[in-house]
Amino acid sequence: MLLFLSAVEVQSGALDVVAKFGAKADEKTDLSKPLSDAWKEACAAATTSSIVIPKGVYFLSQATLEGPCKAPIELQVQGTIKSPTDPKAFKEPKWIEFNKVENFKMSGGGVFDGQGTRAYMREGCDKKDFCSALPINIRFDYLTNAMIQDITTRDSKQFHVNILVCKNITLQKFSVRAPKDSPNTDGIHIGRSDGVNIIDSDIRTGDDCISIRDGTKHLDIKGVTCGPGHGISIGSLGKFEKEEPVEGITASKCTLSDTTNGVRIKIWAGEYGGTVSDVHFEDITVKNVSCPVIVDQKYCPSNKCKMNAESNVKLSNISFKNIRGTAALPEVVKIICSGKFPCENVELADIDIKYSGPKGPGVSECKNVKPKITGKQNPPACAAPVPPNPTPTV
């Protein structure tokens, strides 16, 4: 349980990084030491503490804010914090990290600006196609009982948020902003975490709005708007050995607009084993989405796998219910399961997605699956064969 003082009590005894620790909102003086000093004092306190970054624009080179701490901490970010623009300024792929903290809250309406324009052009990178060392805007690692509320992350050089090995963390009224052509800028990336909630949030980026990797359990996504971007995606999975199961994933009351995918599960062809179970997509609105409903166990970006090999990941208890709207391409529903481990207990209920483009009627394609079909089905469920060379997804 999160234990925090009321807003009035917090403000009256808050640790102000400007007034007490000498931070300057001049866009050039490094916020790193004032923020670190404030965090150390708050972390050592025996009672709940609040740190305030007042309104203004700050420069921050890098920060790692670590626990364990003696009592709950609230970080109120009211200003805009800007990252170095040069990717070479970072020795590690992270900008701001919160690590091993329990009972933590961050709020305040502030902005973390990764200033990623230069990184999007891949300037200064040894490899022109991908720069693995580019920093993630915000990392939440090994957090327990955390609330992130009314915060924006903008133009990250890589993922905007990475949630790893966390338990009971909620992101509410959270915003992500990046251009639709910004590469590898997943909005919220989750792995090996239990009890993540993403509520009433707005994500606009150049990659997956939400990406769900191995070991994610009991994830609830509700009231999220996504687009532009690549949709809400489980995966990719199956690429690495000893991936942990993914289970208990629900996405509901979400709207996706002008995305390359809607709600999807993407699994590498061939490669390693794993399981995905108890996944439910419900009450989803799609607007001009290229591939609204997709299970792709032939995922093979840039032909970096053996397309003829079957996936070794087992999928079961998957449902798509009350998904409505419009598609940008005729492949409205595409469920391509593994020939080695066919999907089990898949349900399609009340799918009504219209395609009115020049490439013929919308289709629903299925392979290695016998779904339970109920309610309206537009296009007719599983009525079209999967072509020998399916359209690749991104």
Side-chain angles (χ1 to χ4, degrees):
M1 178 180 292
L2 292 170
L3 302 172
F4 293 107
L5 300 174
S6 71
V8 173
E9 291 172 320
V10 165
Q11 283 288 359
S12 63
L15 301 173
D16 188 319
V17 297
V18 173
K20 184 170 183 178
F21 297 95
K24 295 181 180 180
D26 60 6
E27 299 188 53
K28 58 183 180 181
T29 303
D30 196 349
L31 179 63
S32 181
K33 188 177 188 306
L35 179 58
S36 177
D37 289 346
W39 182 268
K40 288 176 182 176
E41 182 169 327
C43 193
T47 59
T48 300
S49 299
S50 176
I51 301 168
V52 175
I53 302 175
K55 290 183 179 180
V57 182
Y58 302 82
F59 169 76
L60 175 66
S61 59
Q62 194 274 334
T64 298
L65 305 176
E66 293 186 291
C69 298
K70 292 184 177 180
I73 295 179
E74 178 170 4
L75 175 60
Q76 296 184 14
V77 182
Q78 299 170 0
T80 294
I81 303 173
K82 289 190 173 184
S83 161
T85 58
D86 189 350
K88 292 181 180 179
F90 296 88
K91 296 180 181 179
E92 296 180 275
K94 60 183 181 180
W95 178 33
I96 301 164
E97 179 186 22
F98 298 90
N99 186 30
K100 298 178 182 177
V101 183
E102 186 172 350
N103 294 323
F104 171 66
K105 181 176 182 180
M106 181 163 66
S107 61
V111 177
F112 292 91
D113 186 350
Q115 300 204 95
T117 304
R118 182 172 175 180
Y120 302 153
M121 296 184 291
R122 297 307 191 231
E123 291 182 359
C125 295
D126 294 329
K127 296 180 179 179
K128 297 299 181 183
D129 58 336
F130 177 70
C131 303
S132 60
L134 289 173
I136 294 167
N137 256 16
I138 308 171
R139 289 195 64 106
F140 299 115
D141 296 335
Y142 299 91
L143 267 58
T144 301
N145 300 332
M147 169 67 79
I148 314 301
Q149 192 173 47
D150 193 22
I151 292 291
T152 296
T153 167
R154 178 189 299 154
D155 292 340
S156 181
K157 296 175 179 67
Q158 201 194 150
F159 300 162
H160 282 264
V161 172
N162 192 86
I163 297 173
L164 180 68
V165 196
C166 289
K167 187 176 178 68
N168 300 331
I169 178 172
T170 296
L171 282 72
Q172 185 173 30
K173 294 183 179 178
F174 190 86
S175 298
V176 174
R177 295 289 184 271
K180 65 180 181 180
D181 58 351
S182 56
N184 208 41
T185 53
D186 294 30
I188 301 171
H189 184 80
I190 306 160
R192 306 201 175 194
S193 295
D194 190 344
V196 178
N197 303 286
I198 304 171
I199 304 169
D200 297 336
S201 296
D202 183 20
I203 304 173
R204 309 176 194 181
T205 191
D207 210 299
D208 293 330
C209 290
I210 300 172
S211 51
I212 302 154
R213 297 295 291 270
D214 78 295
T216 302
K217 299 179 180 180
H218 309 115
L219 166 64
D220 188 17
I221 302 166
K222 184 179 294 183
V224 168
T225 57
C226 164
H230 293 181
I232 297 173
S233 300
I234 295 176
S236 60
L237 297 170
K239 183 176 174 63
F240 302 104
E241 194 173 6
K242 296 181 180 179
E243 290 184 347
E244 296 182 7
V246 173
E247 59 187 43
I249 311 299
T250 300
S252 63
K253 296 181 173 62
C254 297
T255 299
L256 299 99
S257 303
D258 301 312
T259 53
T260 56
N261 305 282
V263 288
R264 70 165 168 171
I265 302 172
K266 53 179 178 176
I267 312 290
W268 282 76
E271 305 299 335
Y272 297 100
T275 62
V276 177
S277 61
D278 298 312
V279 174
H280 306 289
F281 299 106
E282 303 176 1
D283 302 324
I284 306 293
T285 300
V286 293
K287 300 177 181 179
N288 195 43
V289 170
S290 294
C291 197
V293 176
I294 180 167
V295 174
D296 184 6
Q297 291 201 259
K298 289 285 188 179
Y299 182 70
C300 187
S302 304
N303 295 316
K304 294 180 179 179
C305 59
K306 298 177 181 179
M307 279 297 294
N308 293 330
E310 296 294 339
S311 168
N312 291 301
V313 176
K314 178 71 175 178
L315 273 58
S316 62
N317 301 328
I318 314 290
S319 67
F320 300 90
K321 296 182 178 180
N322 191 28
I323 301 180
R324 303 171 183 272
T326 59
L329 295 174
E331 293 169 311
V332 173
V333 176
K334 181 161 62 174
I335 303 180
I336 302 175
C337 295
S338 169
K340 188 175 182 180
F341 296 103
C343 296
E344 293 183 354
N345 194 22
V346 174
E347 183 176 2
L348 298 174
D350 297 305
I351 308 295
D352 186 9
I353 303 172
K354 300 176 179 63
Y355 170 73
S356 56
K359 298 182 180 180
V363 296
S364 173
E365 303 172 349
C366 299
K367 185 177 183 180
N368 300 319
V369 61
K370 296 179 180 179
K372 176 183 177 182
I373 299 169
T374 60
K376 183 174 182 178
Q377 296 290 325
N378 176 33
C382 299
V386 176
N389 297 305
T391 304
T393 61
V394 293

